[in-house]
């Protein structure tokens, strides 16, 4: 009898877990990768910026894992809604939770809930075509925008705001998002760090890209970039040197301004019915803590994007630490036959590849725990789902969505693929209706035959 494992979440952590199980297990293993969305790859599809095509190409590697014998993709099945922890423990010998860190952290300043004050996660989801965020969610009608935080997500967001729609045309951003980016009135983007350049979380490669934007001048104030590079780690030293070189630049008169700020913290978002301005306070460090100096500045921004980190959310019935915002674990073991990998295990840090070694560690723990143990599962998931009227999106169903996205890109004369706009458009493909030209379904159901299980190549040819 083979070892049967459920992996909850099909982002990099989940798929690397599936791969590690197939590689490390000495006997036969069956892995079901359950996913809330109809599409796999998590943040690789809905988090990596559309213009970072080389990082996005990791999807090609993840795809090969889903195609391994013994690995199944079950999309559209939500843990806690469609299946419970008890269901999975009855149907599998072990369960590995890999649901990542799906929501934004908050800043805790007055005005944070005003319209126009938004989580970077929402904005990223929007330009990545995530089905949870409608394509008409954002109207970029403010000349000035503030992005709080100086991590890589903030860098992605400011870059997308600073680029022209033409520069993003060959990417997979949904057509409606592209036209909203084309109509953007944004002239200045302020990226705000509450500590100094030597404390910023962005990485050098990502930072450098901001200095190469064709459509935006980058501005750094020399007094804010002043920091000694003595003794700094190489990457951090690189960040500081790049920022200091930008501080010496003369603006080239490009249409947009990218204003990179340090030693400023948001204290209040101002506005009556929506964001009208952002109040900042200058900061310094006292005993390693950020404190205000009592010097204030008001930026006339109409939108504030908080990019201050992600956090995981508790899964129903699964232990969770509010202090660390992770599932407490020992080398991935979260309980009897329960395991965790990725950001839910260690918090939102590292690059995509970090999840590979992380997943491998969890799988080593799992296999050691279960070695020689008689299987305890006593039910099957498929009949359970059928009894509940749930039909998972299969790997072929996902390939049909992919093929429809490639077909859409061809019809629009854009790059390799254009994301379908929202869940309805994907459902249209899975149900055999065609999404119309801009990727939004017309709801007529006029074309039969694009069934989710149909051969993807056949679909692409339509
Ligand atoms: P992050 O790297 O943790 O950066 C969060 C930023 O928010 C920091 O500058 C932090 O400043 C600031 N911050 C936190 N609380 C704040 C507050 N209350 N007020 C003002 N600023 C505050 O998080 P992230 O940018 O979301 O990135 C998450 C992970 O994804 C990282 O590992 C990142 O490298 C990775 N990622 C990688 C790429 C890429 O490789 N291209 C792209 C996107 C994301 P302090 O340091 O002062 O706390």
């Amino acid at each position: 009898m083979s070892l049967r494992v459920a992996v909850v979440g099909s982002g990099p952590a989940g798929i690397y877990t599936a791969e590690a199980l197939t590689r490390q297990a000495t006997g036969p293993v069956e892995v079901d990768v359950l996913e809330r969305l109809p599409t796999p790859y998590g943040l690789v599809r809905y988090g990596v910026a559309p213009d970072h095509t080389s990082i996005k190409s990791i999807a090609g590697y993840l795809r090969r894992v889903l195609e391994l014998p013994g690995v199944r993709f079950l999309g559209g099945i939500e843990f806690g809604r469609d299946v419970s922890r008890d269901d999975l423990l009855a149907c599998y010998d072990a369960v590995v939770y890999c649901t990542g860190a799906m929501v934004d952290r908050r800043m805790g300043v007055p005005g944070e809930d005003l319209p126009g004050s938004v989580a970077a996660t929402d904005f990223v989801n929007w330009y990545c075509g995530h089905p949870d965020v409608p394509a008409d969610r954002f109207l970029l009608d403010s000349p000035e925008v503030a992005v709080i935080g100086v991590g890589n997500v903030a860098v992605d967001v400011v870059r997308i705001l600073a680029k022209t729609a033409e520069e993003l045309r060959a990417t997979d951003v949904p057509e409606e998002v592209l036209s909203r980016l084309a109509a953007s009135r944004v002239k200045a983007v302020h990226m705000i760090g509450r500590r100094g350049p030597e404390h910023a979380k962005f990485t050098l490669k990502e930072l450098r890209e901001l200095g190469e934007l064709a459509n935006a001048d980058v501005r750094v104030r020399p007094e804010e970039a002043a920091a000694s590079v003595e003794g700094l780690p190489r990457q951090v030293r690189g960040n500081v040197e790049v920022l200091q070189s930008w501080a010496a630049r003369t603006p080239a008169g490009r249409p947009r301004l990218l204003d990179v700020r340090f030693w400023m913290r948001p204290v209040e978002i101002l506005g009556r019915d929506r964001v009208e301005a952002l109040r900042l306070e200058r900061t310094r460090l006292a005993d390693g803590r950020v404190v205000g100096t009592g010097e204030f500045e008001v930026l006339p921004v109409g939108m504030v994007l908080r990019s201050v980190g992600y956090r995981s959310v508790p899964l129903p019935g699964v232990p969770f630490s509010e202090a660390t915002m992770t599932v407490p674990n020992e080398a991935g073991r979260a309980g009897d036959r329960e395991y965790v990998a990725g950001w839910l295990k260690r918090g939102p840090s590292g690059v995509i590849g970090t999840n590979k070694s992380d997943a491998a560690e969890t799988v080593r723990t799992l296999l050691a725990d279960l070695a020689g143990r008689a299987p305890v599962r006593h039910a099957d998931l498929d009949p359970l789902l059928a009894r509940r009227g749930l039909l998972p999106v299969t790997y072929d169903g996902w390939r049909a969505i992919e093929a429809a996205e490639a077909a859409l890109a061809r019809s629009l004369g854009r790059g390799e693929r254009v994301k379908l706009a929202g869940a309805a458009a994907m459902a249209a493909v899975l149900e055999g209706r065609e999404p119309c030209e801009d990727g939004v379904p017309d709801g007529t159901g006029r074309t039969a035959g694009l069934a989710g299980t149909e051969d993807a190549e056949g679909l692409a040819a339509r």
Side-chain angles (χ1 to χ4, degrees):
M1 195 163 162
S2 54
L3 176 71
R4 198 176 283 173
V5 180
V7 171
V8 182
S10 70
I15 298 189
Y16 286 135
T17 298
E19 183 190 34
L21 281 161
T22 60
R23 283 197 180 187
Q24 289 184 34
T26 47
V29 60
E30 293 170 40
V31 188
D32 282 353
V33 182
L34 281 71
E35 168 60 55
R36 173 174 81 91
L37 299 174
T39 56
Y41 312 144
L43 277 186
V44 169
R45 181 171 161 90
Y46 293 123
V48 174
D51 56 342
H52 275 177
T53 41
S54 67
I55 307 181
K56 284 188 100 60
S57 66
I58 293 172
Y61 184 93
L62 302 179
R63 156 185 302 179
R64 287 194 287 282
V65 176
L66 289 183
E67 289 172 353
L68 288 173
V71 177
R72 284 201 308 174
F73 172 71
L74 302 176
I77 303 294
E78 184 171 342
F79 181 89
R81 183 194 65 182
D82 301 323
V83 290
S84 68
R85 173 191 190 221
D86 288 347
D87 293 332
L88 296 187
L89 288 170
C91 297
Y92 296 89
D93 301 310
V95 181
V96 190
Y97 304 108
C98 307
T99 47
M102 295 183 289
V103 298
D104 65 296
R105 289 180 28 209
R106 294 179 59 86
M107 301 184 294
V109 299
E112 199 165 350
D113 293 316
L114 277 172
S117 163
V118 290
T121 45
D122 248 15
F123 191 71
V124 170
N125 279 340
W126 174 69
Y127 64 63
C128 288
H130 193 295
D132 285 354
V133 180
D136 62 0
R137 167 81 172 77
F138 290 102
L139 194 61
L140 302 172
D141 57 353
S142 305
E144 299 202 32
V145 173
V147 178
I148 312 299
V150 283
N152 277 332
V153 171
V155 169
D156 281 348
V157 166
V158 301
R159 195 181 62 255
I160 297 296
L161 283 166
K163 280 192 168 180
T164 60
E166 202 43 48
E167 287 175 286
L168 296 166
R169 204 179 138 67
T171 72
D172 65 6
V173 298
E175 188 65 4
E176 164 84 23
V177 171
L178 190 68
S179 53
R180 281 168 179 256
L181 289 168
S184 166
R185 294 185 52 216
V186 174
K187 290 275 176 252
V189 185
H190 309 272
M191 182 168 74
I192 294 156
R194 63 178 173 178
R195 297 189 287 156
E198 68 275 38
H199 308 114
K201 296 272 177 64
F202 42 59
T203 41
L204 184 56
K205 180 168 168 286
E206 279 63 29
L207 177 68
R208 278 205 179 110
E209 275 182 83
L210 298 183
E212 290 154 13
L213 293 171
N215 194 49
D217 281 325
V218 61
R219 180 173 74 189
V220 178
R221 288 157 181 75
E223 65 281 12
E224 291 184 2
S228 164
V229 294
E230 196 88 355
L232 291 177
R234 199 173 49 87
Q235 275 273 336
V236 179
R237 185 192 177 111
N239 281 348
V240 173
E241 286 171 349
V242 164
L243 288 159
Q244 290 177 345
S245 73
W246 291 349
R249 267 191 193 177
T250 312
R254 296 190 179 92
R256 286 183 178 144
L257 171 70
L258 177 46
D259 184 29
V260 186
R261 304 296 307 268
F262 294 100
W263 300 112
M264 298 301 279
R265 70 175 178 189
V267 286
E268 187 175 3
I269 300 173
L270 307 164
R272 191 196 290 261
D273 302 317
R274 57 166 291 169
V275 174
E276 288 166 23
L278 170 69
R279 195 155 182 257
L280 299 170
E281 184 180 21
R282 188 155 292 287
T283 57
R284 63 185 177 83
L285 288 182
D287 296 328
R289 292 184 53 236
V290 176
V291 293
T293 64
E295 264 177 275
F296 296 94
E297 180 178 329
V298 173
L299 293 179
V301 296
M303 188 181 192
V304 175
L305 285 149
R306 59 176 178 277
S307 181
V308 297
Y310 290 90
R311 67 184 167 85
S312 296
V313 286
L315 293 170
V318 178
F320 189 77
S321 160
E322 291 291 337
T324 60
M325 291 287 172
T326 56
V327 171
N329 69 91
E330 278 170 46
R333 184 190 307 105
D336 184 32
R337 300 194 291 122
E338 289 178 287
Y339 300 86
V340 61
W343 278 4
L344 185 61
K345 173 184 172 187
R346 64 172 204 280
S349 63
V351 293
I352 293 168
T354 314
N355 295 296
K356 192 168 182 172
S357 48
D358 181 305
E361 178 196 59
T362 294
V363 168
R364 275 194 300 279
T365 307
L366 181 158
L367 292 174
D369 287 352
L370 269 59
R373 192 165 155 174
V376 288
R377 66 172 196 261
H378 52 84
D380 281 320
L381 189 73
D382 294 10
L384 181 147
L385 294 180
R387 279 198 303 280
R388 292 179 188 171
L390 297 166
L391 188 64
V393 177
T394 61
Y395 180 73
D396 287 344
W398 150 239
R399 296 285 281 148
I401 291 171
E402 271 203 305
E405 291 183 343
L408 181 59
R410 281 196 298 276
S411 75
L412 293 168
R414 291 181 48 193
E416 264 177 43
R417 75 165 72 199
V418 170
K419 295 243 183 77
L420 297 179
M426 289 191 241
V429 172
L430 294 166
E431 288 163 14
R433 290 178 284 123
E434 273 178 1
C436 62
E437 267 177 18
D438 56 359
V440 181
D442 64 5
T444 59
R446 63 185 188 280
T447 310
L450 298 186
T453 51
E454 187 173 344
D455 173 77
E457 296 309 317
L459 186 75
R462 279 165 207 274

